[in-house]
Amino acid sequence: MTKFSLLDLAPISPEHGIEHALSTVVDMAQAAERSGYSRVWYAEHHNMPIIASSATSVLIAHVAAHTSTIRLGSGGIMLPNHAPLVIAEQFGTLEALHPGRIDLGLGRAPGGDRNTLRALRRNPMDADRFPQDIAELQGYLNGNTVIEGVHAIPGKGTHIPLYILGSSLFGAKLAAQLGLPYAFASHFAPQALHDALDVYRRDFQPSQQLSQPYVIAAMNAVAAPNTARAQTIFHDMLRHRLKALFLPPEVAATITDNQVDDILESPQGLQVRTMLKYTAVGTAEETRDWAHGFVQETQADEIIVAHQAADAAERVRSVELFGQALLNNPV
């Protein structure tokens, strides 16, 4: 039976501040736990005014303290931004506090622009060390450190499961080579989904962590009590996404909805719609049926869902509606 999980970026709405976004993160995780989701992941981003999940480890600790059974993790930690030892210690601490509930998903993107790289004390070439950084991190977590005399405390011997995240063939090849689960970011980068999954499954080499390929595919969902409301929420989200990605803040603050709708019909608008190709919109049953089709298309072992709504209460409601529909009719 296919697992379903939740991806939460802790979005900051234009009407509310960061405190509201972070309190909604707890509401989302609790709703996911009630509704049968397997795990909740949070993604590291930096210098993005619409996302509050930059301090990913801190966010996981906070949510773990307000939930009891659901797995929690990173989707992902951008490893080139950090010393592997520090990440091993952070997640080792999380595992010690919440045994058996912590995942560590890893990506190699910066999670921000070039100026953000400077602020993080990063060089663009740091990403080239991603495979070596993973090996070092694994060594700290499994107790076989690759740097003599250096151990992660906490972290040593925890064997926290690692996941490779990606939106291109690079991540697929690396996950296959290392024998790790692979999560594809098809919720915003759908183009290479099938090629990446084919490469991963074809080239997979068993490892101590994993004996056969394990695929997580990402999708978006907007579930509402009726189809019309879901379509309205989705259209509002398209407007919000276009303003955040393509318009300067001073323009986004003054532009009208009609003007945004005109831009949505332009090539920039097409780019936003293409990013959201894998999105289920409708009632609980309609989004569940769409998700069933996505499972058939990808043959994924797990689907991770980013629920899209500007309003926090509607986002929580989407989590509940979609999850309950799947509980009643699992894939």
Side-chain angles (χ1 to χ4, degrees):
M1 190 167 62
T2 306
K3 294 180 179 179
F4 280 82
S5 297
L6 173 65
L7 176 64
D8 188 358
L9 301 183
I12 304 169
S13 71
E15 295 80 17
H16 302 286
I18 291 173
E19 293 83 358
H20 184 265
L22 296 179
S23 67
T24 302
V25 164
V26 173
D27 296 335
M28 292 278 285
Q30 291 174 340
E33 189 170 64
R34 291 193 303 268
S35 304
Y37 291 71
S38 294
R39 69 181 97 235
V40 185
W41 279 1
Y42 305 99
E44 177 186 348
H45 293 81
H46 299 283
N47 195 34
M48 293 189 179
I50 61 171
I51 294 176
S53 57
S54 55
T56 312
S57 303
V58 178
L59 196 57
I60 293 168
H62 177 62
V63 175
H66 290 83
T67 53
S68 57
T69 59
I70 196 163
R71 295 190 67 90
L72 300 163
S74 57
I77 289 290
M78 300 298 108
L79 190 55
N81 292 346
H82 311 276
L85 176 61
V86 172
I87 296 303
E89 291 169 340
Q90 289 179 3
F91 278 77
T93 300
L94 289 169
E95 176 65 21
L97 292 169
H98 307 283
R101 295 180 59 198
I102 303 301
D103 302 325
L104 180 45
L106 303 166
R108 69 175 183 133
D113 57 20
R114 184 170 292 273
N115 285 339
T116 304
L117 284 179
R118 290 177 55 205
L120 289 167
R121 304 299 189 266
R122 266 199 58 186
N123 184 301
M125 304 309 294
D126 291 342
D128 295 342
R129 283 194 48 82
F130 187 48
Q132 292 83 2
D133 286 346
I134 292 173
E136 183 179 341
L137 177 60
Q138 281 184 310
Y140 293 132
L141 295 175
N142 64 24
N144 297 312
T145 179
V146 299
I147 299 181
E148 185 177 356
V150 178
H151 302 280
I153 303 171
K156 181 180 178 181
T158 55
H159 299 278
I160 296 167
L162 302 184
Y163 299 76
I164 302 298
L165 280 58
S167 57
S168 68
L169 300 188
F170 176 88
K173 293 175 181 177
L174 181 61
Q177 176 186 339
L178 298 177
L180 294 175
Y182 179 56
F184 190 88
S186 39
H187 64 301
F188 74 87
Q191 291 85 350
L193 171 63
H194 292 290
D195 288 342
L197 297 190
D198 288 345
V199 166
Y200 171 67
R201 288 171 172 137
R202 183 195 68 204
D203 296 345
F204 181 83
Q205 301 176 28
S207 67
Q208 185 177 2
Q209 178 177 328
L210 195 64
S211 61
Q212 58 187 13
Y214 189 90
V215 166
I216 302 174
M219 59 171 274
N220 303 289
V222 179
N226 60 72
T227 304
R229 182 58 192 158
Q231 293 287 355
T232 297
I233 294 170
F234 179 63
H235 190 73
D236 287 344
M237 190 270 294
L238 286 174
R239 290 170 173 163
H240 182 64
R241 184 71 62 93
L242 186 143
K243 289 192 288 186
L245 291 177
F246 294 109
L247 300 181
E250 61 275 13
V251 175
T254 59
I255 194 170
T256 67
D257 285 346
N258 287 338
Q259 290 172 318
V260 175
D261 288 343
D262 288 340
I263 300 174
L264 281 172
E265 299 303 318
S266 72
Q268 288 178 325
L270 178 61
Q271 184 175 346
V272 172
R273 293 178 186 278
T274 300
M275 289 172 63
L276 300 172
K277 173 182 178 180
Y278 292 115
T279 302
V281 181
T283 64
E285 292 73 21
E286 288 168 341
T287 55
R288 177 203 62 206
D289 292 346
W290 191 99
H292 284 199
F294 188 54
V295 171
Q296 293 299 314
E297 179 181 343
T298 60
Q299 295 296 300
D301 303 283
E302 184 174 340
I303 303 296
I304 191 161
V305 186
H307 287 268
Q308 303 287 356
D311 181 78
E314 288 181 320
R315 200 159 60 251
V316 172
R317 184 62 174 155
S318 181
V319 170
E320 293 173 332
L321 288 169
F322 182 78
Q324 289 297 324
L326 285 166
L327 281 178
N328 295 333
N329 186 11
V331 179

PDB file of all heavy atoms in Angstrom, residues 69-94:
ATOM      1  N   THR A  69       3.415  10.563  17.202  1.00  0.00           N
ATOM      2  CA  THR A  69       3.727   9.336  16.455  1.00  0.00           C
ATOM      3  C   THR A  69       4.272   9.581  15.059  1.00  0.00           C
ATOM      4  O   THR A  69       5.055   8.762  14.555  1.00  0.00           O
ATOM      5  CB  THR A  69       2.469   8.450  16.333  1.00  0.00           C
ATOM      6  OG1 THR A  69       1.436   9.200  15.663  1.00  0.00           O
ATOM      7  CG2 THR A  69       1.983   7.997  17.698  1.00  0.00           C
ATOM      8  N   ILE A  70       3.878  10.638  14.403  1.00  0.00           N
ATOM      9  CA  ILE A  70       4.237  10.834  12.996  1.00  0.00           C
ATOM     10  C   ILE A  70       5.738  11.078  12.859  1.00  0.00           C
ATOM     11  O   ILE A  70       6.366  11.703  13.719  1.00  0.00           O
ATOM     12  CB  ILE A  70       3.428  12.001  12.395  1.00  0.00           C
ATOM     13  CG1 ILE A  70       3.477  11.964  10.869  1.00  0.00           C
ATOM     14  CG2 ILE A  70       3.883  13.355  12.945  1.00  0.00           C
ATOM     15  CD1 ILE A  70       2.412  12.809  10.205  1.00  0.00           C
ATOM     16  N   ARG A  71       6.339  10.541  11.790  1.00  0.00           N
ATOM     17  CA  ARG A  71       7.752  10.789  11.518  1.00  0.00           C
ATOM     18  C   ARG A  71       7.930  12.216  11.024  1.00  0.00           C
ATOM     19  O   ARG A  71       7.049  12.780  10.358  1.00  0.00           O
ATOM     20  CB  ARG A  71       8.292   9.803  10.475  1.00  0.00           C
ATOM     21  CG  ARG A  71       8.297   8.351  10.915  1.00  0.00           C
ATOM     22  CD  ARG A  71       9.074   7.492   9.921  1.00  0.00           C
ATOM     23  NE  ARG A  71      10.503   7.842   9.941  1.00  0.00           N
ATOM     24  CZ  ARG A  71      11.400   7.267  10.739  1.00  0.00           C
ATOM     25  NH1 ARG A  71      11.027   6.326  11.593  1.00  0.00           N
ATOM     26  NH2 ARG A  71      12.679   7.624  10.689  1.00  0.00           N
ATOM     27  N   LEU A  72       9.093  12.786  11.337  1.00  0.00           N
ATOM     28  CA  LEU A  72       9.397  14.162  10.975  1.00  0.00           C
ATOM     29  C   LEU A  72      10.806  14.226  10.415  1.00  0.00           C
ATOM     30  O   LEU A  72      11.690  13.495  10.856  1.00  0.00           O
ATOM     31  CB  LEU A  72       9.289  15.076  12.201  1.00  0.00           C
ATOM     32  CG  LEU A  72       7.916  15.120  12.862  1.00  0.00           C
ATOM     33  CD1 LEU A  72       8.018  15.702  14.258  1.00  0.00           C
ATOM     34  CD2 LEU A  72       6.931  15.915  12.016  1.00  0.00           C
ATOM     35  N   GLY A  73      11.008  15.108   9.453  1.00  0.00           N
ATOM     36  CA  GLY A  73      12.347  15.188   8.881  1.00  0.00           C
ATOM     37  C   GLY A  73      12.504  16.354   7.936  1.00  0.00           C
ATOM     38  O   GLY A  73      11.655  17.237   7.841  1.00  0.00           O
ATOM     39  N   SER A  74      13.609  16.324   7.227  1.00  0.00           N
ATOM     40  CA  SER A  74      13.972  17.404   6.316  1.00  0.00           C
ATOM     41  C   SER A  74      13.734  16.980   4.880  1.00  0.00           C
ATOM     42  O   SER A  74      14.080  15.879   4.480  1.00  0.00           O
ATOM     43  CB  SER A  74      15.444  17.775   6.501  1.00  0.00           C
ATOM     44  OG  SER A  74      16.278  16.644   6.292  1.00  0.00           O
ATOM     45  N   GLY A  75      13.146  17.886   4.153  1.00  0.00           N
ATOM     46  CA  GLY A  75      12.933  17.607   2.739  1.00  0.00           C
ATOM     47  C   GLY A  75      13.319  18.794   1.879  1.00  0.00           C
ATOM     48  O   GLY A  75      12.498  19.285   1.129  1.00  0.00           O
ATOM     49  N   GLY A  76      14.543  19.297   1.968  1.00  0.00           N
ATOM     50  CA  GLY A  76      15.605  18.655   2.725  1.00  0.00           C
ATOM     51  C   GLY A  76      16.537  19.670   3.356  1.00  0.00           C
ATOM     52  O   GLY A  76      16.408  20.873   3.183  1.00  0.00           O
ATOM     53  N   ILE A  77      17.538  19.117   4.018  1.00  0.00           N
ATOM     54  CA  ILE A  77      18.694  19.899   4.433  1.00  0.00           C
ATOM     55  C   ILE A  77      19.604  20.066   3.214  1.00  0.00           C
ATOM     56  O   ILE A  77      19.942  19.086   2.547  1.00  0.00           O
ATOM     57  CB  ILE A  77      19.468  19.179   5.555  1.00  0.00           C
ATOM     58  CG1 ILE A  77      18.668  19.219   6.855  1.00  0.00           C
ATOM     59  CG2 ILE A  77      20.859  19.777   5.750  1.00  0.00           C
ATOM     60  CD1 ILE A  77      18.575  20.583   7.491  1.00  0.00           C
ATOM     61  N   MET A  78      20.000  21.310   2.915  1.00  0.00           N
ATOM     62  CA  MET A  78      20.903  21.561   1.799  1.00  0.00           C
ATOM     63  C   MET A  78      22.338  21.379   2.316  1.00  0.00           C
ATOM     64  O   MET A  78      22.955  22.303   2.847  1.00  0.00           O
ATOM     65  CB  MET A  78      20.685  22.959   1.237  1.00  0.00           C
ATOM     66  CG  MET A  78      19.269  23.194   0.724  1.00  0.00           C
ATOM     67  SD  MET A  78      18.797  22.114  -0.657  1.00  0.00           S
ATOM     68  CE  MET A  78      17.636  21.000   0.132  1.00  0.00           C
ATOM     69  N   LEU A  79      22.843  20.167   2.176  1.00  0.00           N
ATOM     70  CA  LEU A  79      24.057  19.766   2.880  1.00  0.00           C
ATOM     71  C   LEU A  79      25.275  20.639   2.566  1.00  0.00           C
ATOM     72  O   LEU A  79      26.089  20.892   3.468  1.00  0.00           O
ATOM     73  CB  LEU A  79      24.357  18.290   2.590  1.00  0.00           C
ATOM     74  CG  LEU A  79      25.450  17.644   3.440  1.00  0.00           C
ATOM     75  CD1 LEU A  79      25.160  17.807   4.925  1.00  0.00           C
ATOM     76  CD2 LEU A  79      25.610  16.176   3.072  1.00  0.00           C
ATOM     77  N   PRO A  80      25.476  21.119   1.321  1.00  0.00           N
ATOM     78  CA  PRO A  80      26.648  21.978   1.086  1.00  0.00           C
ATOM     79  C   PRO A  80      26.651  23.265   1.902  1.00  0.00           C
ATOM     80  O   PRO A  80      27.677  23.933   1.997  1.00  0.00           O
ATOM     81  CB  PRO A  80      26.567  22.268  -0.418  1.00  0.00           C
ATOM     82  CG  PRO A  80      25.838  21.098  -0.989  1.00  0.00           C
ATOM     83  CD  PRO A  80      24.804  20.765   0.043  1.00  0.00           C
ATOM     84  N   ASN A  81      25.510  23.644   2.484  1.00  0.00           N
ATOM     85  CA  ASN A  81      25.464  24.827   3.344  1.00  0.00           C
ATOM     86  C   ASN A  81      26.063  24.581   4.726  1.00  0.00           C
ATOM     87  O   ASN A  81      26.239  25.529   5.492  1.00  0.00           O
ATOM     88  CB  ASN A  81      24.016  25.295   3.556  1.00  0.00           C
ATOM     89  CG  ASN A  81      23.388  25.855   2.293  1.00  0.00           C
ATOM     90  OD1 ASN A  81      24.075  26.129   1.329  1.00  0.00           O
ATOM     91  ND2 ASN A  81      22.080  26.020   2.321  1.00  0.00           N
ATOM     92  N   HIS A  82      26.345  23.314   5.065  1.00  0.00           N
ATOM     93  CA  HIS A  82      26.665  22.965   6.442  1.00  0.00           C
ATOM     94  C   HIS A  82      27.864  22.022   6.512  1.00  0.00           C
ATOM     95  O   HIS A  82      28.116  21.251   5.590  1.00  0.00           O
ATOM     96  CB  HIS A  82      25.474  22.256   7.106  1.00  0.00           C
ATOM     97  CG  HIS A  82      24.166  22.959   6.931  1.00  0.00           C
ATOM     98  ND1 HIS A  82      23.763  23.990   7.743  1.00  0.00           N
ATOM     99  CD2 HIS A  82      23.169  22.758   6.036  1.00  0.00           C
ATOM    100  CE1 HIS A  82      22.566  24.413   7.354  1.00  0.00           C
ATOM    101  NE2 HIS A  82      22.189  23.686   6.322  1.00  0.00           N
ATOM    102  N   ALA A  83      28.531  22.028   7.646  1.00  0.00           N
ATOM    103  CA  ALA A  83      29.505  20.974   7.937  1.00  0.00           C
ATOM    104  C   ALA A  83      28.740  19.694   8.264  1.00  0.00           C
ATOM    105  O   ALA A  83      27.813  19.715   9.083  1.00  0.00           O
ATOM    106  CB  ALA A  83      30.370  21.374   9.125  1.00  0.00           C
ATOM    107  N   PRO A  84      29.081  18.560   7.644  1.00  0.00           N
ATOM    108  CA  PRO A  84      28.373  17.307   7.935  1.00  0.00           C
ATOM    109  C   PRO A  84      28.331  16.966   9.419  1.00  0.00           C
ATOM    110  O   PRO A  84      27.332  16.417   9.909  1.00  0.00           O
ATOM    111  CB  PRO A  84      29.155  16.265   7.124  1.00  0.00           C
ATOM    112  CG  PRO A  84      29.690  17.039   5.964  1.00  0.00           C
ATOM    113  CD  PRO A  84      30.034  18.390   6.518  1.00  0.00           C
ATOM    114  N   LEU A  85      29.387  17.289  10.146  1.00  0.00           N
ATOM    115  CA  LEU A  85      29.404  17.001  11.578  1.00  0.00           C
ATOM    116  C   LEU A  85      28.285  17.739  12.305  1.00  0.00           C
ATOM    117  O   LEU A  85      27.609  17.173  13.176  1.00  0.00           O
ATOM    118  CB  LEU A  85      30.756  17.384  12.184  1.00  0.00           C
ATOM    119  CG  LEU A  85      30.884  17.217  13.705  1.00  0.00           C
ATOM    120  CD1 LEU A  85      30.692  15.765  14.114  1.00  0.00           C
ATOM    121  CD2 LEU A  85      32.237  17.742  14.186  1.00  0.00           C
ATOM    122  N   VAL A  86      28.060  18.999  11.937  1.00  0.00           N
ATOM    123  CA  VAL A  86      27.013  19.786  12.593  1.00  0.00           C
ATOM    124  C   VAL A  86      25.637  19.179  12.330  1.00  0.00           C
ATOM    125  O   VAL A  86      24.799  19.077  13.236  1.00  0.00           O
ATOM    126  CB  VAL A  86      27.070  21.251  12.126  1.00  0.00           C
ATOM    127  CG1 VAL A  86      25.867  22.039  12.635  1.00  0.00           C
ATOM    128  CG2 VAL A  86      28.363  21.904  12.596  1.00  0.00           C
ATOM    129  N   ILE A  87      25.386  18.756  11.089  1.00  0.00           N
ATOM    130  CA  ILE A  87      24.096  18.147  10.763  1.00  0.00           C
ATOM    131  C   ILE A  87      23.941  16.816  11.501  1.00  0.00           C
ATOM    132  O   ILE A  87      22.856  16.492  12.020  1.00  0.00           O
ATOM    133  CB  ILE A  87      23.959  17.945   9.245  1.00  0.00           C
ATOM    134  CG1 ILE A  87      23.948  19.308   8.547  1.00  0.00           C
ATOM    135  CG2 ILE A  87      22.695  17.167   8.904  1.00  0.00           C
ATOM    136  CD1 ILE A  87      22.865  20.259   9.027  1.00  0.00           C
ATOM    137  N   ALA A  88      25.004  16.024  11.585  1.00  0.00           N
ATOM    138  CA  ALA A  88      24.941  14.774  12.342  1.00  0.00           C
ATOM    139  C   ALA A  88      24.600  15.037  13.804  1.00  0.00           C
ATOM    140  O   ALA A  88      23.797  14.308  14.411  1.00  0.00           O
ATOM    141  CB  ALA A  88      26.266  14.023  12.223  1.00  0.00           C
ATOM    142  N   GLU A  89      25.194  16.066  14.382  1.00  0.00           N
ATOM    143  CA  GLU A  89      24.916  16.398  15.780  1.00  0.00           C
ATOM    144  C   GLU A  89      23.479  16.899  15.957  1.00  0.00           C
ATOM    145  O   GLU A  89      22.792  16.520  16.915  1.00  0.00           O
ATOM    146  CB  GLU A  89      25.905  17.457  16.262  1.00  0.00           C
ATOM    147  CG  GLU A  89      27.325  16.953  16.391  1.00  0.00           C
ATOM    148  CD  GLU A  89      28.325  18.069  16.611  1.00  0.00           C
ATOM    149  OE1 GLU A  89      28.005  19.243  16.299  1.00  0.00           O
ATOM    150  OE2 GLU A  89      29.429  17.768  17.086  1.00  0.00           O
ATOM    151  N   GLN A  90      23.014  17.744  15.030  1.00  0.00           N
ATOM    152  CA  GLN A  90      21.650  18.264  15.139  1.00  0.00           C
ATOM    153  C   GLN A  90      20.622  17.140  15.044  1.00  0.00           C
ATOM    154  O   GLN A  90      19.711  17.039  15.876  1.00  0.00           O
ATOM    155  CB  GLN A  90      21.397  19.297  14.043  1.00  0.00           C
ATOM    156  CG  GLN A  90      22.134  20.606  14.240  1.00  0.00           C
ATOM    157  CD  GLN A  90      21.870  21.587  13.116  1.00  0.00           C
ATOM    158  OE1 GLN A  90      21.084  21.324  12.203  1.00  0.00           O
ATOM    159  NE2 GLN A  90      22.537  22.739  13.168  1.00  0.00           N
ATOM    160  N   PHE A  91      20.770  16.298  14.026  1.00  0.00           N
ATOM    161  CA  PHE A  91      19.789  15.239  13.844  1.00  0.00           C
ATOM    162  C   PHE A  91      19.996  14.106  14.845  1.00  0.00           C
ATOM    163  O   PHE A  91      19.036  13.416  15.212  1.00  0.00           O
ATOM    164  CB  PHE A  91      19.786  14.758  12.393  1.00  0.00           C
ATOM    165  CG  PHE A  91      18.973  15.660  11.509  1.00  0.00           C
ATOM    166  CD1 PHE A  91      19.464  16.880  11.090  1.00  0.00           C
ATOM    167  CD2 PHE A  91      17.691  15.300  11.117  1.00  0.00           C
ATOM    168  CE1 PHE A  91      18.710  17.739  10.317  1.00  0.00           C
ATOM    169  CE2 PHE A  91      16.923  16.133  10.334  1.00  0.00           C
ATOM    170  CZ  PHE A  91      17.427  17.365   9.929  1.00  0.00           C
ATOM    171  N   GLY A  92      21.219  13.921  15.300  1.00  0.00           N
ATOM    172  CA  GLY A  92      21.440  12.980  16.386  1.00  0.00           C
ATOM    173  C   GLY A  92      20.738  13.426  17.655  1.00  0.00           C
ATOM    174  O   GLY A  92      20.186  12.609  18.406  1.00  0.00           O
ATOM    175  N   THR A  93      20.742  14.727  17.905  1.00  0.00           N
ATOM    176  CA  THR A  93      20.016  15.269  19.055  1.00  0.00           C
ATOM    177  C   THR A  93      18.516  15.059  18.897  1.00  0.00           C
ATOM    178  O   THR A  93      17.820  14.638  19.831  1.00  0.00           O
ATOM    179  CB  THR A  93      20.327  16.769  19.208  1.00  0.00           C
ATOM    180  OG1 THR A  93      21.724  16.947  19.397  1.00  0.00           O
ATOM    181  CG2 THR A  93      19.572  17.361  20.397  1.00  0.00           C
ATOM    182  N   LEU A  94      17.997  15.330  17.694  1.00  0.00           N
ATOM    183  CA  LEU A  94      16.575  15.107  17.433  1.00  0.00           C
ATOM    184  C   LEU A  94      16.192  13.649  17.643  1.00  0.00           C
ATOM    185  O   LEU A  94      15.148  13.333  18.238  1.00  0.00           O
ATOM    186  CB  LEU A  94      16.234  15.535  16.004  1.00  0.00           C
ATOM    187  CG  LEU A  94      16.240  17.035  15.720  1.00  0.00           C
ATOM    188  CD1 LEU A  94      16.162  17.301  14.221  1.00  0.00           C
ATOM    189  CD2 LEU A  94      15.089  17.722  16.445  1.00  0.00           C
TER     190      LEU A  94
END
